[in-house]
């Protein structure tokens, strides 16, 4: 019998699943990729505590969920090759950008996928084909696709995507792509020539955008450098060292100032306040415009987690200056 390996239950259409898969590939951790569907349903049920992918089953049969803790746990057990910049300040910035990617950059991904007709049709069809399993009749897949769209489109409210927030969400994706196009012009990954935690998180979302017709066309036509990184991150490798702050600062500062301090942290703090008060919905001013969405418990826990990481990292030389200058500090210090 083959030696037991890690088993990763996921989907090509799930940003958090492909993020963990790329991480396992980077670390050289042997694993089986199991698209979630009828063939894998029983084993998934057995190990999953929540109906969420990715689910990583360890060789000794433990079921792990939530991409950030999964990666943290594997990284602690097998630190090399590291996904954390050597400089502790840059390491925290990478962790902060990963949190931003999981919590905020998911909005443009979800927004484009489920609010544009062509994207909805494409994604629902691909998910349905996976859920129906191999050999399913085309009518069965078409019916399943309709059911997927009916389930997913109303979830736009979970990410706050509606006519009033569209400009903010789409502007955010454009700014991220504009920034990456320059940042990745002189290095292979965000913090140098090797991938960081931030690359894995941001890539999961942008890879999904790229597979969808509307943002995919945008990336293919206007962002060739970012597209090469999207391809590279499918199987990322150490191609050199970490860059110093003086070399990476422009792109990282732009993301911190406009995206993390401008959108993600004020939004996350307003969400946490609404959850604490038991409000069902909240409105926060972002870029001078009201952003309204349903309050989400999960995001409130994630804000507490990044604040915990901040407290542990805050004395790293240079970090305070960067977080103050970009406007992140007041949100992190809570
Ligand atoms: N924070 C979690 C998010 C996981 C998540 O939201 N997974 C989605 C797919 S990307 C899911 O399984 N949704 C349930 C469903 O679609 O039925 C992580 O990082 O793993």
């Amino acid at each position: 019998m083959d030696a037991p390996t890690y088993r990763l239950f996921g989907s090509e259409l799930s940003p958090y699943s492909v993020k963990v898969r790329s991480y396992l590939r980077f670390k050289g951790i042997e694993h089986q990729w199991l698209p979630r569907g009828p063939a894998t349903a029983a084993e998934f049920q057995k190990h999953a505590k929540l109906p969420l992918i990715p689910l990583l089953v360890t060789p000794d049969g433990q079921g792990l969920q939530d991409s950030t803790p999964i990666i943290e746990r594997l990284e602690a057990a097998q630190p090399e090759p590291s996904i954390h910049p050597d400089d502790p300040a840059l390491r925290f910035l990478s962790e902060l950008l990963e949190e931003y990617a999981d919590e905020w950059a998911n909005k443009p991904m979800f927004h484009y996928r489920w609010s544009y007709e062509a994207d909805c049709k494409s994604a629902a069809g691909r998910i349905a084909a996976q859920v129906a399993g191999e050999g399913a009749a085309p009518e069965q897949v078409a019916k399943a696709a309709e059911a997927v769209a009916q389930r997913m489109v109303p979830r736009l409210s979970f990410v706050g995507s509606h006519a009033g927030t569209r400009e903010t969400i789409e502007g955010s994706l454009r700014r991220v792509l504009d920034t990456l196009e320059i940042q990745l012009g002189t290095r292979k990954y965000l913090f140098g020539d090797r991938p960081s935690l931030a690359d894995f998180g941001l890539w999961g979302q942008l890879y999904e955008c790229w597979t969808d017709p509307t943002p995919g066309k945008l990336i293919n036509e206007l962002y060739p450098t970012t597209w090469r990184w999207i391809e590279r991150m499918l199987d990322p490798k150490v191609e050199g060292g970490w860059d110093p702050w003086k070399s990476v600062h422009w792109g990282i500062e732009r993301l911190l100032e406009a995206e993390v301090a401008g959108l993600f942290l004020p939004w996350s703090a307003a969400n946490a306040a609404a959850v604490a008060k038991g409000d069902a919905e909240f409105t926060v001013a972002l870029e001078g415009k009201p952003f309204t969405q349903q309050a989400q418990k999960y995001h409130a826990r994630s804000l507490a987690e990044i604040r915990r990481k901040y407290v542990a990292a805050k004395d790293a030389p240079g970090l305070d200056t960067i977080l103050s200058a970009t406007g992140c500090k007041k949100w992190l210090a809570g």
Side-chain angles (χ1 to χ4, degrees):
M1 213 174 101
D2 290 343
T5 61
Y6 285 91
R7 292 167 70 73
L8 181 60
F9 294 81
S11 164
E12 203 60 43
L13 283 98
S14 153
Y16 308 98
S17 299
V18 295
K19 169 190 175 190
V20 171
R21 184 181 64 185
S22 267
Y23 173 79
L24 293 173
R25 287 177 179 167
F26 174 66
K27 298 295 279 193
I29 296 173
E30 206 188 313
H31 63 279
Q32 288 171 336
W33 167 251
L34 300 151
R36 198 180 163 191
T40 59
E43 200 189 342
F44 179 87
Q45 292 290 349
K46 186 174 146 207
H47 294 283
K49 289 170 208 82
L50 301 164
L52 290 178
I53 47 174
L55 165 72
L56 182 70
V57 178
T58 64
D60 61 3
Q62 287 181 69
L64 310 178
Q65 285 178 291
D66 205 335
S67 60
T68 307
I70 290 174
I71 291 176
E72 280 168 355
R73 180 177 161 147
L74 295 172
E75 192 67 11
Q78 185 186 314
E80 297 299 332
S82 177
I83 57 163
H84 298 305
D86 299 331
D87 179 333
L90 300 195
R91 175 184 172 148
F92 175 75
L93 299 180
S94 158
E95 291 176 323
L96 178 57
L97 286 171
E98 184 228 18
E99 207 61 34
Y100 153 81
D102 285 1
E103 307 296 311
W104 179 277
N106 180 247
K107 291 186 189 302
M109 192 301 277
F110 205 90
H111 158 81
Y112 277 104
R113 178 169 286 177
W114 301 111
S115 64
Y116 282 81
E117 206 178 315
D119 300 68
C120 179
K121 206 166 162 219
S122 159
R126 284 176 286 152
I127 293 171
Q130 184 183 320
V131 171
E134 244 171 82
E139 314 80 67
Q140 192 191 340
V141 177
K143 228 172 123 195
E146 249 172 63
V148 170
Q150 270 173 18
R151 186 160 60 94
M152 298 309 283
V153 172
R155 292 191 185 178
L156 283 165
S157 65
F158 295 0
V159 300
S161 158
H162 48 81
T165 56
R166 174 186 165 149
E167 211 184 313
T168 304
I169 294 175
E170 295 191 357
S172 167
L173 180 70
R174 288 302 296 265
R175 181 164 46 220
V176 169
L177 292 171
D178 287 344
T179 309
L180 293 190
E181 197 61 14
I182 296 173
Q183 184 77 356
L184 298 168
T186 44
R187 59 188 58 77
K188 293 279 174 26
Y189 303 95
L190 290 171
F191 286 91
D193 288 329
R194 49 187 298 168
S196 65
L197 182 61
D199 289 272
F200 289 99
L202 198 54
W203 174 78
Q205 306 297 336
L206 293 181
Y207 172 70
E208 295 302 330
C209 286
W210 175 70
T211 69
D212 290 341
T214 303
K217 184 166 183 281
L218 185 72
I219 294 169
N220 288 337
E221 286 180 357
L222 298 179
Y223 299 98
T225 301
T226 306
W227 173 75
R228 280 194 289 278
W229 168 80
I230 290 174
E231 278 224 315
R232 187 176 308 133
M233 278 297 297
L234 272 165
D235 191 7
K237 295 188 170 50
V238 174
E239 298 184 48
W242 300 111
D243 285 345
W245 176 245
K246 67 175 187 333
S247 149
V248 294
H249 78 98
W250 178 85
I252 304 301
E253 274 169 355
R254 190 160 190 247
L255 294 176
L256 293 175
E257 192 170 336
E259 294 291 316
V260 178
L263 299 171
F264 164 53
L265 290 173
W267 163 81
S268 189
N271 175 67
V275 169
K277 278 195 288 176
D279 292 348
E281 198 182 85
F282 67 97
T283 299
V284 57
L286 299 178
E287 298 175 334
K289 290 192 291 282
F291 190 104
T292 301
Q293 85 157 85
Q294 255 184 42
Q296 299 287 320
K297 278 203 185 82
Y298 178 84
H299 295 306
R301 286 199 291 277
S302 122
L303 179 64
E305 186 55 19
I306 194 65
R307 283 180 171 158
R308 188 192 61 74
K309 287 182 187 169
Y310 168 69
V311 169
K314 71 182 181 10
D315 296 326
L319 184 60
D320 198 70
T321 311
I322 299 166
L323 293 177
S324 298
T326 52
C328 293
K329 187 179 164 181
K330 68 172 180 201
W331 302 105
L332 291 168

